Amino acid sequence: MAPVVCAAQTVYVKRGQPHREGRGWVERAECGGAVQPGARLILRADFGSVNVRTGPGDRVVCHMLLRVYRPSEDEA
């Protein structure tokens, strides 16, 4: 299911370049946008841990670390 976003809101996703780190590949990504009071955060992930902290103002910023263990960057 795709996230529901009001047309008036500006949402962004910035993906980094994958790079080799030990036996795996790592990519850092960031997303964010405006939020309204009482809004809910819905996160879907296969596995892993998540830390959520509040911030100032009416915006949310998410920093993600994506890690996969594959032999090549193409497979990652």
Side-chain angles (χ1 to χ4, degrees), residues 22-46:
R23 296 179 327 168
W25 292 89
V26 175
E27 179 183 335
R28 286 178 168 69
E30 179 181 308
C31 66
V35 294
Q36 298 175 0
R40 294 183 307 158
L41 171 66
I42 299 173
L43 174 76
R44 292 186 175 92
D46 291 334

Side-chain angles (χ1 to χ4, degrees), residues 13-67:
V13 175
K14 294 180 188 175
R15 294 189 65 167
Q17 290 293 337
H19 64 276
R20 185 67 123 162
E21 200 170 284
R23 296 179 327 168
W25 292 89
V26 175
E27 179 183 335
R28 286 178 168 69
E30 179 181 308
C31 66
V35 294
Q36 298 175 0
R40 294 183 307 158
L41 171 66
I42 299 173
L43 174 76
R44 292 186 175 92
D46 291 334
F47 62 91
S49 61
V50 176
N51 294 313
V52 178
R53 291 178 281 187
T54 58
D58 63 348
R59 302 198 57 79
V60 65
V61 177
C62 304
H63 297 274
M64 296 163 280
L65 180 67
L66 311 167
R67 184 181 314 266

